[in-house]
Amino acid sequence: VGIALSDLRKFKTPEDYLATVRKRNFAGYHARRCKARGYQVRHIARNSFIDDIHEINNSSEMRQGRPMDDAYRIKETSFTDYPHYAYFGIMDKREKLVGYCNLATLGNFAATERLLGHKNNDGFMYLLLTEIICSLIEKKTVNFLMYDTYLGAQPGLRNFKRKLGFSPYLVRYSLA
């Protein structure tokens, strides 16, 4: 109940999606500003960014009003890449990884598995997610993008999801 979904079937092109989040203080607005500041989204090989990912995971003691889970505090020595996952990173103008997203493709939908960035108020996480959404719309391989819960999210995270075009849905899954 209350899963945050973006119904990608509503958009024929990435531009159709961007038109829905273009207004001031929405995702498109922040994404354009981040591009102007030199941020770029890329597919990443996580093993090339072990230190950066650990630094991001430990960049704040609290997230969404809660202490960070201990699993984020452990420094991985290597990552295993899975075939049904894509790994995205956001780089600043110095080519430093400042945020990342592990995206799983699960049947007719994709889901953010881990999504985290440094806190700096630049809004680069909007750029990361709008680029991911646009690439999914372009590829037309999934119908939905899921970003955890909507109704269970803290108000700040719920607002972030709304600005990206996510809405709450009641979802029923079945294993095929």
Side-chain angles (χ1 to χ4, degrees):
V1 176
I3 298 299
L5 284 183
S6 179
D7 185 347
L8 305 176
R9 299 172 300 178
K10 296 190 295 189
F11 312 109
K12 288 187 167 118
T13 66
E15 292 75 26
D16 292 342
Y17 162 71
L18 291 172
T20 67
V21 294
R22 190 158 278 148
K23 34 186 181 176
R24 184 166 166 70
N25 207 26
F26 269 67
Y29 170 80
H30 292 294
R32 285 190 310 278
R33 292 182 65 200
C34 286
K35 279 185 181 180
R37 291 184 186 122
Y39 288 99
Q40 295 179 20
V41 176
R42 296 195 184 128
H43 283 273
I44 61 169
R46 295 179 303 156
N47 285 316
S48 298
F49 296 98
I50 288 173
D51 290 335
D52 290 340
I53 290 170
H54 182 69
E55 184 181 316
I56 291 165
N57 290 350
N58 288 279
S59 64
S60 180
E61 292 289 321
M62 304 283 284
R63 299 275 180 157
Q64 297 305 310
R66 297 179 217 145
M68 283 295 289
D69 188 276
D70 288 339
Y72 286 90
R73 303 252 179 248
I74 299 166
K75 185 173 184 181
E76 300 290 336
T77 56
S78 69
F79 292 104
T80 302
D81 290 341
Y82 298 101
H84 62 288
Y85 274 77
Y87 304 96
F88 294 90
I90 183 129
M91 314 299 282
D92 68 11
K93 63 183 171 188
R94 298 175 320 236
E95 298 291 316
K96 178 158 177 63
L97 183 74
V98 294
Y100 68 94
C101 178
N102 302 344
L103 187 75
T105 300
L106 307 158
N108 70 342
F109 72 98
T112 60
E113 187 261 333
R114 270 203 180 183
L115 177 67
L116 207 59
H118 281 291
K119 287 185 168 187
N120 76 355
N121 296 322
D122 270 2
F124 58 77
M125 296 304 280
Y126 287 109
L127 176 60
L128 178 58
L129 282 164
T130 58
E131 292 282 322
I132 290 170
I133 291 168
C134 287
S135 74
L136 292 172
I137 292 167
E138 228 168 38
K139 290 177 186 172
K140 298 190 183 313
T141 54
V142 296
N143 295 331
F144 303 95
L145 175 60
M146 183 177 90
Y147 180 1
D148 202 18
T149 63
Y150 192 92
L151 300 177
Q154 296 291 320
L157 184 56
R158 190 178 313 138
N159 193 39
F160 176 75
K161 292 174 183 183
R162 182 185 61 81
K163 290 178 180 184
L164 283 155
F166 288 93
S167 301
Y169 281 78
L170 171 63
V171 177
R172 186 173 305 208
Y173 299 98
S174 64
L175 298 175

